[in-house]
Amino acid sequence: MSDHQLEISNISFKTDNQSILESISFSVEKGERVTITGPSGGGKSTLLKIIGNIINPTDGKVLFHGKNIQETNPLKYRQKVSYFFQNASLFDQTVRDNLSFPYDIRDEEFDEEKAKDMLERVSLSRSCLDKPINELSGGEKQRVALIRNMMYLPEVLLLDEVTSSLDAENKEIIHGILDTLNKENGLTTLSVTHDENEISQADRVITIIDGRLEDSK
Amino acid sequence: MNANLEINNFSLFLSTGLLIIAILIAYKEKLELGYDIFIAGIRAVIQLFIIGYVLSYVIQLDNVLVTLAMVLFIVFNAGFNAHQRSDGIPHSLTISLFSISIGTAVTLVILVVSGAIEWLPSQIVPITGMIASNAMVAIGLTFQSLNSKFADQRQQVLEKLSLGANEKQASMSIIRASVKTGMSPSIDSTKTVGLVSLPGMMSGLIFAGVEPTEAIRYQIVVMFMIIAVTSIASFSASYLAYRQFYNEQKQLTL
């Protein structure tokens, strides 16, 4: 058995009368930056949700370090392979509520300094921590949501068109931190995107058309 | 007491005139409710006559087992009705029955042990009816709240799950809101009691000639008991039902 970080093996997904994904297989190595692209409605998001264990495939399996994720603790897996939504929504009242949530679920003490450092890394001020979430702009919310996924750095980050609704400046900030985490911490990213820039930055591009994997470039 | 508390058949028959007023209004305003009012009237007469005779028999018999059977019958009916308001939450019948049983049992035991009521069918049966019907409404509200909140906050629940939260951590805000929804009506009605309406228990006793200063003692017990039972029932129903929104892979199934 080879020990890829992630191995997607013969994944299919069907609804009652429609086949969304058909026998998708590929593997991802640690630190790799993989971009999944293709026309809208081709099943890219569904694939990413299956890898994130948000939904189950109808057929096939996802292996993480050689182990079928259906047979391991889904909570531990999701802490290591973290799915990040297209239009992430913040919950509760303040930025603090959101950034302390990853600590709450692990039953650990909230590291306020680290949260402030992270806010700075995405160009938000340290005082933002106690700001009510409804006073943030769309781009600011997306940045807070991103560092929410990174308070405990996952091994793999699944990014579902996370910059599609953002302006150039916000895109740049988000790309910047992802770039650093990839280079310094070996963070693997799997991103669904239409952004030409992101595609050109990728180590590998996977194209999905009508639920099928096209030959990668 | 007993200041001529009898309605003869002729008076009862004349009181159907009240229904005819409602049917005429429905007919004039084209509400298409005439048939429903007619059926409601007939059902009320039949159901109440039956329950009247059953209760007379149960009270005269004064048998522990028969009284208990009556209590179980009420609890089952309440559970079944709450289940029908769950809008497809899996295992809702079991959840409703369990929650109503627990709420009813705890409240009844406290009332009997404290001496507020006695284990007599004439006290146990009507009190159980009050407890169970309030629990039923509370659970129905709790189910509705769970359904609507999971639909509204689906995205947030998914985000919490994708951060590695377990089902309970991902649902906590929804659970809290749903328990609150189930409890609120009984708290609100307790706050305004006596100012707006004289509640049924107290009205009945006053009707029967009991001094209002005595009747309110029962009403106080009833209000506290209703707050207790709705909180137990909503709490139990929320905590048992939220898991039904997830599959064994801890994924949201909505």
Side-chain angles (χ1 to χ4, degrees):
Chain A
M1 277 298 293
S2 57
D3 232 17
H4 304 291
Q5 189 173 31
L6 265 178
E7 191 175 344
I8 284 70
S9 169
N10 280 314
I11 291 287
S12 297
F13 188 81
K14 292 183 181 68
T15 59
D16 291 339
N17 47 19
Q18 211 186 349
S19 175
I20 311 284
L21 293 171
E22 278 179 58
S23 282
I24 306 275
S25 297
F26 62 92
S27 56
V28 180
E29 310 302 330
K30 182 170 166 53
E32 225 182 343
R33 289 203 285 185
V34 180
T35 291
I36 303 170
T37 189
S40 298
K44 305 184 298 292
S45 278
T46 307
L47 177 63
L48 209 62
K49 286 198 173 82
I50 289 170
I51 300 173
N53 194 17
I54 305 291
I55 51 175
N56 285 326
T58 341
D59 217 349
K61 55 194 176 183
V62 176
L63 304 172
F64 182 58
H65 293 304
K67 288 195 187 100
N68 186 347
I69 63 167
Q70 296 278 336
E71 288 154 17
T72 54
N73 181 341
L75 305 180
K76 291 273 173 289
Y77 174 76
R78 288 185 206 134
Q79 292 180 1
K80 287 182 190 138
V81 180
S82 193
Y83 184 96
F84 186 51
F85 288 84
Q86 179 169 8
N87 288 307
S89 70
L90 302 179
F91 39 73
D92 298 334
Q93 267 80 49
T94 63
V95 173
R96 181 190 292 268
D97 293 334
N98 283 273
L99 297 186
S100 63
F101 188 77
Y103 291 88
D104 295 340
I105 60 177
R106 290 168 176 83
D107 214 5
E108 285 177 23
E109 186 92 16
F110 178 46
D111 186 344
E112 201 171 315
E113 279 310 303
K114 184 173 181 192
K116 287 178 176 168
D117 291 344
M118 291 298 272
L119 283 169
E120 262 179 350
R121 287 181 72 173
V122 290
S123 307
L124 290 164
S125 75
R126 296 176 81 85
S127 60
C128 252
L129 190 59
D130 286 303
K131 218 171 177 184
I133 53 171
N134 48 22
E135 284 176 21
L136 301 176
S137 71
E140 287 170 334
K141 278 184 187 157
Q142 192 78 342
R143 283 184 265 160
V144 171
L146 181 68
I147 58 175
R148 189 175 64 188
N149 282 56
M150 290 172 176
M151 293 311 296
Y152 289 83
L153 195 65
E155 290 183 36
V156 182
L157 199 56
L158 305 169
L159 305 158
D160 190 359
E161 301 202 43
V162 297
T163 59
S164 63
S165 55
L166 300 180
D167 57 27
E169 189 194 341
N170 274 301
K171 272 186 191 174
E172 205 173 302
I173 296 169
I174 288 184
H175 289 154
I177 186 166
L178 289 175
D179 216 33
T180 318
L181 289 169
N182 173 258
K183 292 209 171 80
E184 288 174 8
N185 304 79
L187 175 73
T188 309
T189 57
L190 235 78
S191 44
V192 167
T193 186
H194 294 289
D195 188 300
E196 288 301 327
N197 233 327
E198 284 175 40
I199 295 172
S200 67
Q201 291 272 310
D203 298 327
R204 189 146 57 100
V205 177
I206 287 172
T207 310
I208 291 181
I209 298 172
D210 287 338
R212 290 170 187 279
L213 193 66
E214 301 292 305
D215 286 334
S216 50
K217 289 170 243 173
Chain B
M1 278 173 57
N2 260 330
N4 193 22
L5 277 179
E6 257 174 56
I7 300 182
N8 62 37
N9 286 335
F10 185 61
S11 309
L12 198 58
F13 177 72
L14 287 184
S15 69
T16 54
L18 296 169
L19 274 193
I20 292 174
I21 295 175
I23 291 175
L24 284 178
I25 291 177
Y27 176 75
K28 185 171 177 300
E29 295 295 316
K30 300 189 174 65
L31 304 180
E32 292 174 1
L33 281 174
Y35 182 71
D36 281 337
I37 297 172
F38 179 71
I39 292 294
I42 298 279
R43 277 190 61 165
V45 170
I46 294 174
Q47 288 169 6
L48 288 174
F49 263 96
I50 292 175
I51 205 67
Y53 281 105
V54 170
L55 276 178
S56 289
Y57 178 73
V58 170
I59 289 170
Q60 268 171 24
L61 202 62
D62 192 9
N63 175 302
V64 175
L65 289 180
V66 174
T67 308
L68 196 64
M70 195 69 200
V71 166
L72 292 179
F73 175 75
I74 293 171
V75 167
F76 180 81
N77 277 336
F80 190 76
N81 267 292
H83 149 71
Q84 288 187 317
R85 295 176 206 184
S86 78
D87 210 8
I89 297 176
H91 304 299
S92 58
L93 181 58
T94 320
I95 294 172
S96 312
L97 284 176
F98 178 81
S99 305
I100 294 183
S101 305
I102 288 286
T104 308
V106 170
T107 329
L108 271 187
V109 166
I110 293 177
L111 289 176
V112 172
V113 169
S114 68
I117 61 167
E118 287 175 59
W119 185 269
L120 291 172
S122 60
Q123 299 194 5
I124 293 293
V125 175
I127 289 284
T128 304
M130 280 189 247
I131 297 175
S133 70
N134 279 283
M136 172 183 89
V137 173
I139 293 173
L141 289 172
T142 304
F143 283 156
Q144 279 175 15
S145 168
L146 283 171
N147 276 321
S148 71
K149 292 249 154 51
F150 267 109
D152 290 350
Q153 299 183 22
R154 182 173 177 275
Q155 179 66 22
Q156 297 189 3
V157 173
L158 288 175
E159 307 226 1
K160 289 178 178 176
L161 288 175
S162 74
L163 289 166
N166 63 28
E167 306 100 302
K168 190 176 171 185
Q169 290 160 339
S171 323
M172 206 56 225
S173 60
I174 295 176
I175 298 174
R176 287 207 187 104
S178 302
V179 176
K180 200 171 170 186
T181 306
M183 288 175 68
S184 307
S186 65
I187 297 173
D188 288 342
S189 67
T190 302
K191 280 188 202 153
T192 56
V193 70
L195 299 178
V196 182
S197 73
L198 299 180
M201 175 82 172
M202 175 177 163
S203 306
L205 289 172
I206 295 174
F207 226 91
V210 173
E211 277 293 314
T213 48
E214 283 302 311
I216 56 147
R217 290 173 175 268
Y218 276 98
Q219 194 58 49
I220 290 171
V221 173
V222 166
M223 297 319 281
F224 291 175
M225 134 194 131
I226 287 173
I227 289 189
V229 75
T230 52
S231 57
I232 296 170
S234 323
F235 175 80
S236 158
S238 293
Y239 274 85
L240 292 172
Y242 83 85
R243 289 177 196 278
Q244 310 303 326
F245 289 83
Y246 298 88
N247 62 18
E248 73 288 350
Q249 275 284 305
K250 304 179 195 291
Q251 294 165 344
L252 190 65
T253 52
L254 214 61

